[in-house]
Amino acid sequence: MPITRQDKEILRLAVPAFGALVAEPLFLLADYAIVGHGLGTVAVGALGVAGTVLATMVNLCVFLAYGTTASVARSTGAGEHGRAMRDGVDGVWLALGIGLGLIALGWPLAPAVVSLFGASPEQAAEAVTYLRISLLGAPGMLVVLAGTGVLRGLQDTVTPLVVAVGSFALNAALNAWFVLVLGWGIAGSAWGTVLAQTLGAVVYVAVVVRGARRRGTPLAPDVAGVRRAGTAGLALFVRTVCLRIVLVVGTVIATRMGESQLAAYAIATQLWTLLAFALDAIAIAGQAITGRTLGAGDADATRAATARMVRWGLWSGVLLGLLVVAARPLLPGLFDADPDVTEQLLAVLWPVAVFQPICGVVFVLDGVLIGAGDQRYLAWAGVWTTLAYLPAALIAGAFGIVALWCALGVWMVARWITLSRRAAGGAWLVTGA
């Protein structure tokens, strides 16, 4: 497949986005390795439970990044740069408000939420400790999402890469110091994450403030604009709720299988997230390019870019699947897994590898439709694909962790069908600002 001008534009956005996206799961894997070496299997399982809760809260708010990317990119494509920055500033204020709300709501509910996973008393106590401390970083996490969306919408994926690598490297260093040197236990891992996330948010705020001043955009919150940003993100919120239901149900089922199964599932989930973020780099390019080309009124360019990105997604998935197979014998040793966890992890890595090509296509189409502002369809598609997953997961729970991961494959196939059908039509190709 020869490299075209279109490919160069995709790569210009996707390569830095890839670096930023994989930085997070790579350093989360470093957290698992640090906790595994320093604190043992119980702490790894607790980190898996608390991490699932935190990821659920943050991902429910991913519309702060995706919705902002789409609106800023569309306004940029239409030449309305002042409006683009206004959308960005409103997104940051919305992120800060939601983050503070999550602290107020999540702190008292932490024990009840952790208990839903059915973890052992020791694991539950560790998970509550990690969750409560990590909640203090929620405003920073969400501001990072909104700031990232602003820059992607402006066709800048390099700055998010720099910030992501810096903050997650700091996170890994602080966690190693707090856990392995100072002996703070799982609380040390949480504090390292909070500090790194907050510093990352400070950087994004500085970048957005500078851009707003350059365009003459007021920095004070515009109530109507903040409300509009929240309303526009509602459909993406529904879509993300469906995604998180799938991942949370899988973790709950794995938890009830036993500590070894939960630890293996937690590690495999982080590996799968790493691969998903790698594939999502093309989807990020899809959001930015689709928003800009539709904003400029060029539907033909949007279709051509979509077809090209789908090919990139498919072959990237094939490559990542082969890499998983090649690295499979080495992965348990990275986490100092005991024999029971190693056996479970080696088995589950096979379906993780097999489903990567389908994931590649799904993530690209998801990003394209988000960039087009087709959130209502994505919400309904999320509902139907989740309904396809739930009975498969409940049945798989009786047959072990490999069957549970194959149920996740059923979900990905359902997403591939719904997104491909939509992309083949023309209802999503709405042009203009």
Side-chain angles (χ1 to χ4, degrees):
M1 186 169 70
I3 300 295
T4 65
R5 181 185 60 80
Q6 198 173 60
D7 291 326
K8 292 178 180 178
E9 182 182 20
I10 294 168
L11 290 172
R12 179 182 66 81
L13 294 169
V15 171
F18 168 79
L21 288 166
V22 301
E24 180 174 0
L26 277 174
F27 286 113
L28 283 175
L29 288 174
D31 289 350
Y32 273 87
I34 291 167
V35 170
H37 281 279
L39 304 175
T41 299
V42 170
V44 170
L47 184 58
V49 170
T52 299
V53 176
L54 288 166
T56 298
M57 290 191 299
V58 173
N59 280 279
L60 287 176
C61 299
V62 75
F63 66 86
L64 293 166
Y66 291 172
T68 305
T69 297
S71 63
V72 172
R74 192 176 276 268
S75 295
T76 299
E80 299 184 11
H81 301 292
R83 178 177 173 179
M85 287 310 305
R86 179 70 263 173
D87 290 342
V89 172
D90 291 338
V92 171
W93 278 111
L94 180 62
L96 181 60
I98 294 174
L100 294 174
L102 285 177
I103 295 175
L105 184 65
W107 186 276
L109 292 179
V113 171
V114 169
S115 69
L116 296 176
F117 290 83
S120 66
E122 188 178 1
Q123 277 184 328
E126 294 275 81
V128 169
T129 296
Y130 186 92
L131 178 58
R132 279 182 161 166
I133 296 172
S134 295
L135 280 171
L136 300 176
M141 285 189 285
L142 300 191
V143 167
V144 165
L145 284 178
T148 300
V150 174
L151 295 179
R152 288 173 180 169
L154 296 173
Q155 315 295 295
D156 176 10
T157 56
V158 174
T159 302
L161 168 62
V162 174
V163 178
V165 171
S167 60
F168 289 122
L170 177 63
N171 180 28
L174 290 174
N175 286 0
W177 177 258
F178 292 158
V179 174
L180 301 178
V181 179
L182 299 183
W184 288 5
I186 200 167
S189 180
W191 278 116
T193 300
V194 168
L195 292 173
Q197 288 165 341
T198 302
L199 288 174
V202 169
V203 173
Y204 272 111
V205 168
V207 172
V208 172
V209 166
R210 184 177 61 187
R213 286 177 173 167
R214 187 163 52 242
R215 296 292 180 183
T217 303
L219 296 174
D222 176 58
V223 175
V226 173
R227 186 186 303 115
R228 194 162 49 245
T231 302
L234 182 60
L236 281 177
F237 176 81
V238 173
R239 162 197 170 272
T240 308
V241 167
C242 294
L243 299 181
R244 298 313 303 178
I245 286 173
V246 169
L247 299 179
V248 170
V249 167
T251 301
V252 170
I253 294 173
T255 300
R256 299 182 188 281
M257 290 180 182
E259 290 187 355
S260 296
Q261 288 85 350
L262 173 59
Y265 188 86
I267 293 171
T269 298
Q270 291 304 318
L271 290 168
W272 186 82
T273 301
L274 169 62
L275 299 173
F277 280 8
L279 293 171
D280 214 28
I282 307 171
I284 296 303
Q287 290 177 28
I289 292 171
T290 300
R292 178 176 54 78
T293 53
L294 289 179
D298 196 343
D300 290 339
T302 304
R303 274 209 181 277
T306 298
R308 202 67 178 178
M309 286 185 287
V310 166
R311 294 180 194 172
W312 277 98
L314 174 63
W315 288 109
S316 297
V318 171
L319 176 61
L320 290 178
L322 292 174
L323 288 175
V324 171
V325 172
R328 177 176 167 271
L330 306 175
L331 291 173
L334 295 178
F335 304 95
D336 198 27
D338 62 36
D340 289 338
V341 175
T342 296
E343 180 182 1
Q344 299 289 338
L345 182 58
L346 288 176
V348 83
L349 287 176
W350 285 114
V352 170
V354 167
F355 290 117
Q356 289 311 301
I358 294 176
C359 292
V361 175
V362 165
F363 296 155
V364 167
L365 292 178
D366 192 54
V368 166
L369 294 179
I370 288 173
D374 201 23
Q375 285 92 337
R376 182 174 297 181
Y377 178 82
L378 291 172
W380 280 109
V383 171
W384 291 116
T385 54
T386 301
L387 291 176
Y389 166 78
L390 292 177
L394 293 174
I395 293 170
F399 295 95
I401 194 171
V402 174
L404 179 59
W405 209 269
C406 288
L408 195 69
V410 170
W411 174 59
M412 292 305 302
V413 170
R415 292 186 68 195
W416 171 67
I417 293 171
T418 56
L419 296 178
S420 295
R421 286 173 59 89
R422 184 64 168 183
W428 58 281
L429 290 167
V430 180
T431 58

